[in-house]
């Protein structure tokens, strides 16, 4: 048994969605969770800046003995996961927007991806859409302000519902029947989305990433 801890990081509380499932699946594992709140939010920052922070946090986690690092942030995964894997001798598990399951489950053939600017700008997102969404209409919806709202504990409020209505309402009206949560912070808005748009399927990869980390 390797008693070294698992490292996990995000710009704030979003990655706790992954941590919660990971603890349920592997309660015997120690975890060091790094919330980079001084640099929150990552979404609108340049990729180079997010990459620099990801490297700095990885160094810190490795100094603490981490045997595995979970990049529990879609923006950081898009900006840095490939470089992190190349630079450090430990395994990394990153976030990938759930485009594949969304395309498979959508009945209308129209999917809305709710994510940050940084996630949409990354090569990772473009590759996933190209590989798994052929024949599906994919709409990129930038969740401006949503991560900050979650960080302030305002999920489940009228304010969150109004923002989600403004962002996702046009896509649902246009026929989107599936919404992909492309930011770990948005996990905490799943109930708001379900309440506003009954019948819309929500794809959240937090559990899948936690299971991959356990494997």
């Amino acid at each position: 048994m390797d008693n070294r801890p698992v490292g996990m990081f995000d710009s704030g509380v979003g990655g706790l969605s992954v941590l919660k499932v990971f603890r349920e699946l592997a309660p015997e594992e120690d975890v060091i969770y790094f919330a980079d709140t001084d640099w929150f939010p990552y979404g609108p920052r340049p990729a180079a800046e997010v990459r620099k922070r990801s490297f700095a946090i990885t160094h810190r986690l490795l100094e603490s003995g981490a045997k595995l690092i979970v990049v529990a942030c879609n923006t950081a995964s898009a900006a840095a996961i490939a470089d992190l894997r190349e630079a450090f001798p430990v395994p990394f598990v990153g976030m990938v927007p759930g485009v594949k399951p969304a395309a498979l489950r959508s009945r209308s053939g129209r999917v809305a991806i709710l994510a940050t600017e940084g996630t949409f700008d990354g090569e990772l997102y473009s590759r996933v859409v190209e590989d798994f969404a052929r024949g599906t209409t994919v709409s990129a919806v930038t969740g401006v302000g949503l991560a900050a709202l979650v960080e302030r504990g305002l999920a489940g409020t009228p304010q969150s519902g109004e923002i989600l209505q403004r962002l996702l309402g046009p896509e649902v009206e246009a026929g989107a029947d599936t919404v992909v949560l492309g930011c770990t912070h948005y996990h905490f808005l799943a109930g708001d989305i379900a309440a506003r748009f009954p019948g819309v399927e929500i794809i959240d990869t937090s559990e899948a990433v936690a299971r991959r980390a356990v494997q």
Side-chain angles (χ1 to χ4, degrees):
M1 181 69 179
D2 188 341
N3 292 321
R4 292 178 298 161
V6 170
M8 190 176 299
F9 75 90
D10 181 37
S11 62
V13 302
L16 296 178
S17 60
V18 179
L19 176 60
K20 178 179 181 292
V21 179
F22 183 82
R23 285 202 178 281
E24 292 171 354
L25 297 173
E28 73 285 355
E29 292 285 354
D30 290 329
V31 179
I32 299 173
Y33 183 87
F34 192 109
D36 193 18
T37 51
D38 277 352
W39 288 75
F40 173 86
Y42 282 171
R45 293 186 180 276
E49 196 169 69
V50 176
R51 190 179 299 112
K52 182 177 179 180
R53 290 303 301 163
S54 298
F55 269 71
I57 294 168
T58 295
H59 279 294
R60 178 67 181 84
L61 292 172
L62 292 177
E63 288 170 0
S64 299
K67 62 186 175 185
L68 163 75
I69 294 178
V70 181
V71 184
C73 171
N74 288 80
T75 302
S77 294
I81 192 73
D83 293 335
L84 291 171
R85 285 171 173 156
E86 185 174 338
F88 297 101
V90 295
F92 285 84
V93 176
M95 306 294 299
V96 179
V99 173
K100 182 179 180 180
L104 290 172
R105 296 182 196 178
S106 175
R107 302 174 303 281
S108 67
R110 189 178 184 100
V111 170
I113 313 294
L114 187 63
T116 68
E117 304 99 308
T119 297
F120 288 133
D121 286 342
E123 180 184 338
L124 179 62
Y125 171 76
S126 299
R127 188 169 67 246
V128 169
V129 170
E130 183 178 345
D131 289 347
F132 301 116
R134 293 179 182 178
T136 301
T137 300
V138 176
S139 299
V141 180
T142 303
V144 178
L146 288 179
L149 185 143
V150 170
E151 201 74 18
R152 286 157 43 209
L154 295 176
T157 64
Q159 183 177 352
S160 65
E162 290 168 6
I163 295 174
L164 288 166
Q165 181 66 47
R166 174 169 52 81
L167 293 174
L168 292 174
E171 298 302 326
V172 174
E173 291 175 8
D177 65 353
T178 307
V179 172
V180 176
L181 305 183
C183 169
T184 50
H185 279 82
Y186 302 167
H187 166 89
F188 300 100
L189 295 170
D192 298 38
I193 296 171
R196 282 270 167 171
F197 308 105
V200 169
E201 183 161 7
I202 299 169
I203 305 295
D204 181 357
T205 60
S206 296
E207 181 175 347
V209 170
R211 291 187 180 279
R212 178 59 181 160
V214 172
Q215 291 172 357

